Amino acid sequence: MRIFIGVLSAVIILTGATLTVLALWDIKPIEWSIIWRSGATIAIACITFLIMWLVKVLFFKKDPFNPSKGK
C-alpha cells in the first residue's frame, strides 16, 4: 500500500510540474484532457520502469532470493 501511495504521489507531482512548465511557456492552456493525458503518460512511464526493474531482478541477477548464497 505504501508503494502504491508513493507511485500515485509521484505521478501527481510530475503531472503538476509538467503542466506548470507548459503554462509558464504559454504552450497551451491547461484543460482536463491535458491533465488526464499527462497523468496517463507519466503513469505508463513509471509502470514501464517498474516492469523493467522487475525483469532485471528476476532474470539478470544470479539469485535474487538468496543473497547470502556463495559466501
Side-chain angles (χ1 to χ4, degrees):
M1 187 66 171
R2 195 170 81 191
I3 293 173
F4 175 74
I5 292 172
V7 169
L8 186 64
S9 298
V11 167
I12 291 170
I13 291 168
L14 289 172
T15 303
T18 302
L19 293 173
T20 302
V21 168
L22 290 174
L24 286 174
W25 285 95
D26 290 330
I27 293 177
K28 196 168 183 180
I30 297 175
E31 298 172 357
W32 280 110
S33 64
I34 296 173
I35 293 171
W36 291 118
R37 281 187 269 158
S38 298
T41 302
I42 292 170
I44 290 169
C46 290
I47 290 169
T48 302
F49 177 76
L50 183 67
I51 291 171
M52 292 304 297
W53 174 80
L54 186 63
V55 167
K56 177 185 168 196
V57 167
L58 291 177
F59 297 111
F60 295 109
K61 297 277 184 172
K62 299 223 183 227
D63 193 1
F65 299 108
N66 192 3
S68 62
K69 185 177 181 182
K71 287 187 179 180

